[in-house]
Amino acid sequence: MPRQQLWVEEPALRRRMPDPVRAAAVRAVLIMSLTIIQAMVAFLSSVTGSWLAFPMVLSSVASTVGATWSVLDVWVTRQVWNQRNGVVSIPSSSARRLRRERRRARRAARTEVRDGTRIRRRSTDRGLSRA
C-alpha cells in the first residue's frame, strides 16, 4: 500500500493579490480586530460602571472611523493597482486586445522608420562599368 503524502499542493483557484493590496488588507484586518476588542472593552466597562467606560467609548468611536478608513484604503489601493497594471480577465479581454493593437502599431511604425533610413542596394541591372 503506497504511503500518502502529508502535504499535497493544489492549484490555487484565484490569483494571489498584489503586494500593495495585500498589505492594505492585512492592515485593515488588524485595525478592525483592535477596534472590535476596544469596543468590547468599552461595552464591558460601561456595564460594570467603571471610570474607564467614557474614554473607551470615545476612543472606540474614533477607532471605528479609522477602521472604516482602512477598509476604504483597501478598495482604493485595489482600484489603483488595476488601473495601473491592467485588469486580469478571462479569457479574452478588451484591454488585452487594445494592448495587442497598440503593440502592432508600434512595430509597424518602427519598421517604417527603419526601412526609410536604410541604405538601398543598387539594382544589378546597372552594374559597374567594366574598364
Side-chain angles (χ1 to χ4, degrees):
M1 179 175 241
R3 290 184 60 171
Q4 189 177 10
Q5 290 182 354
L6 183 62
W7 186 267
V8 178
E9 285 285 333
E10 295 180 1
L13 298 176
R14 294 170 54 176
R15 291 177 58 108
R16 181 175 163 168
M17 276 193 290
D19 288 339
V21 178
R22 192 164 3 112
V26 167
R27 213 173 22 246
V29 167
L30 289 175
I31 291 172
M32 285 176 52
S33 62
L34 290 175
T35 301
I36 291 171
I37 291 169
Q38 192 174 13
M40 184 63 92
V41 169
F43 173 74
L44 292 175
S45 59
S46 296
V47 168
T48 59
S50 172
W51 63 271
L52 194 59
F54 183 67
M56 286 302 289
V57 168
L58 287 179
S59 64
S60 292
V61 170
S63 293
T64 303
V65 171
T68 306
W69 187 268
S70 68
V71 170
L72 283 174
D73 178 45
V74 174
W75 183 71
V76 168
T77 306
R78 185 173 164 268
Q79 295 298 324
V80 167
W81 176 266
N82 284 338
Q83 192 174 20
R84 287 184 183 164
N85 300 297
V87 232
V88 177
S89 59
I90 308 168
S92 62
S93 159
S94 58
R96 193 177 300 138
R97 184 175 47 79
L98 289 172
R99 276 198 309 265
R100 204 175 291 134
E101 289 173 5
R102 274 190 247 129
R103 206 177 305 128
R104 282 186 190 134
R106 279 196 307 260
R107 280 187 195 138
R110 278 193 307 241
T111 304
E112 284 181 27
V113 169
R114 189 175 54 229
D115 290 344
T117 58
R118 196 175 277 172
I119 299 174
R120 306 241 182 247
R121 290 185 182 173
R122 294 185 181 175
S123 60
T124 55
D125 57 348
R126 277 197 236 161
L128 298 173
S129 62
R130 295 182 188 160

